[in-house]
Amino acid sequence: MGGRPSSPLDKRQQQHLRGQVDTMLRDFLPCSCEQLAASVLRQISRELGPQEPAGCQLMRSKKLPRVREHQGPLTQLWGHPPRWQPIFCVLRGDGRLEWFSHREEYENGGHPLSSVALTGYTVLTSQRDYLCLLDALCPVPSGGHTQEEPEPLLEMPVNFPLFLQHPFRRHLCFSAATGEARRAWRLALQGGIRLRGTVLQRSQAPAARAFLDALRLYRQRRGHFGEDDVTLGSDAEVSAVIRTEDPAGQGRTKKGRGMRGGCLPIPGEVEGPLETCLRGRVDTQLSRVTQKLLSTVEAVLSTVQTLLAQGMDRLSRHLRGSPSSTRLRKEVYSFGEMPWDSELMHACYREAERSQKRLGQLVAPFGFFGTRSLVFGAQDLAQQLMADAVATFLQLADQCLTAALDCTQAAQQLEKVRGRVLKELPEFEGEVLAMGSPALTIEGIYEDIVRGVLLQRIDGELKKALGVSDTSCTLDGCSEAPWDPTGADEETEAQRGTCPRQPGSGAEVQPLCSRPPPGT
């Protein structure tokens, strides 16, 4: 596990990097401005268009997405030379991890030793698998490693390790005191990783939608087609990842722009061969793809419904038992915090994680590399749906409960509210396979044709799968939800020891000892 630490960029490297960034901005900014205008117009059109009757629907939770703050002592492998040292860690509600030399320094408002945004990290809990991962990502050159070299990780084995691995940022190595503490940290860290990763996908702001549309077009012009996990993170973080992609497609960009004058005969020439291709290669796979996506969503929503029903039943039991007002307020508060309780919500998140293998089968026939985004999106959906259902239940309960009711009458009113809320949940099942907004560019004409043909087939498959004959899942009828995978259970994760890699991002990794990327 040897290697040498990375060194700062020299002046020539800095100038080269600055030139690449300037080139990227010159190409990307015009596309971004076009898409921002289109995104604003689409929002105005939706707001001014005819609105469907609201009916009885779940109320939108006013609480912003967050993770529950988690803190506690850990040991970290750091320093020169690296050694295990005690620290005090704090996971903030925005998904940023900070660590201090000791608890008192944190409580007294001191500055942390360091901090990191958890975007793009993967949690591993097996020391052996982490070492194997390092060897796979950063192979040691021939003759550059001997058995006598010290291995800090192996010199002092730890029982409950927590490794945060990133494709091209420095890795973090922690250890908990007990298995229970490690589990709590693992769940909290996974929540922070997901929160940071899906910030763009969750946003309904025109600027966020425009950025994702512009990014898709920008990458297509450079030969990166299909879906992957490169859009996980904030706009600044995603832009940094995009800059590391191979810029070999710049020639294709000029060629694509040169086609503007001759695009108008294109639909008739393309539609026939494309229709034949879709019938032979896509139609045979589409039903299987739909079932894989729906099975993931159905399992997640079923678990949400079970947890929600259990939480509402607990409140009813406490109310029937004539508890003290203090105890009842505590139970109501706990119920309201359910969506942010990583331990309780783990049952929902685990259902999405279990689908990773099934969703991975989309890679071969379709070249789809966005399974992590899909799993993250299913987990976001579970949390948002739980938050909306909890907010709806509490508000309806507040409206129907009065001081004139005794405990039995109040419990009966809660039962009615319970039934009303649970009835709404299945209606969301058909609204979670969101489609992206079409790009408003002439180069996108090929994609428009493909999208038009596919939408007809997707709509038909969803109708059959959901048993709906008169409802169409169109762009305006679907909620825009993000998707993505995480590790599995702690037990299976320790055995897996692998981590997803983003296509086109290269193998630049900064592990514990900052070993250089392969080939340097």
Side-chain angles (χ1 to χ4, degrees), residues 401-422:
L401 297 181
T402 65
L405 300 176
D406 59 29
C407 291
T408 301
Q409 293 171 328
Q412 292 173 348
Q413 290 296 324
L414 286 186
E415 280 297 317
K416 295 180 181 179
V417 175
R418 175 187 185 276
R420 183 178 176 184
V421 172
L422 291 179

Side-chain angles (χ1 to χ4, degrees), residues 428-442:
F428 287 84
E429 188 173 296
E431 299 180 358
V432 296
L433 299 178
M435 304 297 296
S437 301
L440 301 180
T441 62
I442 298 181

Side-chain angles (χ1 to χ4, degrees), residues 315-342:
L315 282 181
S316 295
R317 286 197 301 270
H318 284 292
L319 192 57
R320 289 181 184 275
S322 301
S324 66
S325 58
T326 302
R327 176 65 185 274
L328 184 57
R329 281 196 298 269
K330 182 179 178 181
E331 292 297 333
V332 171
Y333 173 80
S334 297
F335 179 78
E337 286 293 299
M338 282 177 59
W340 326 115
D341 188 332
S342 58

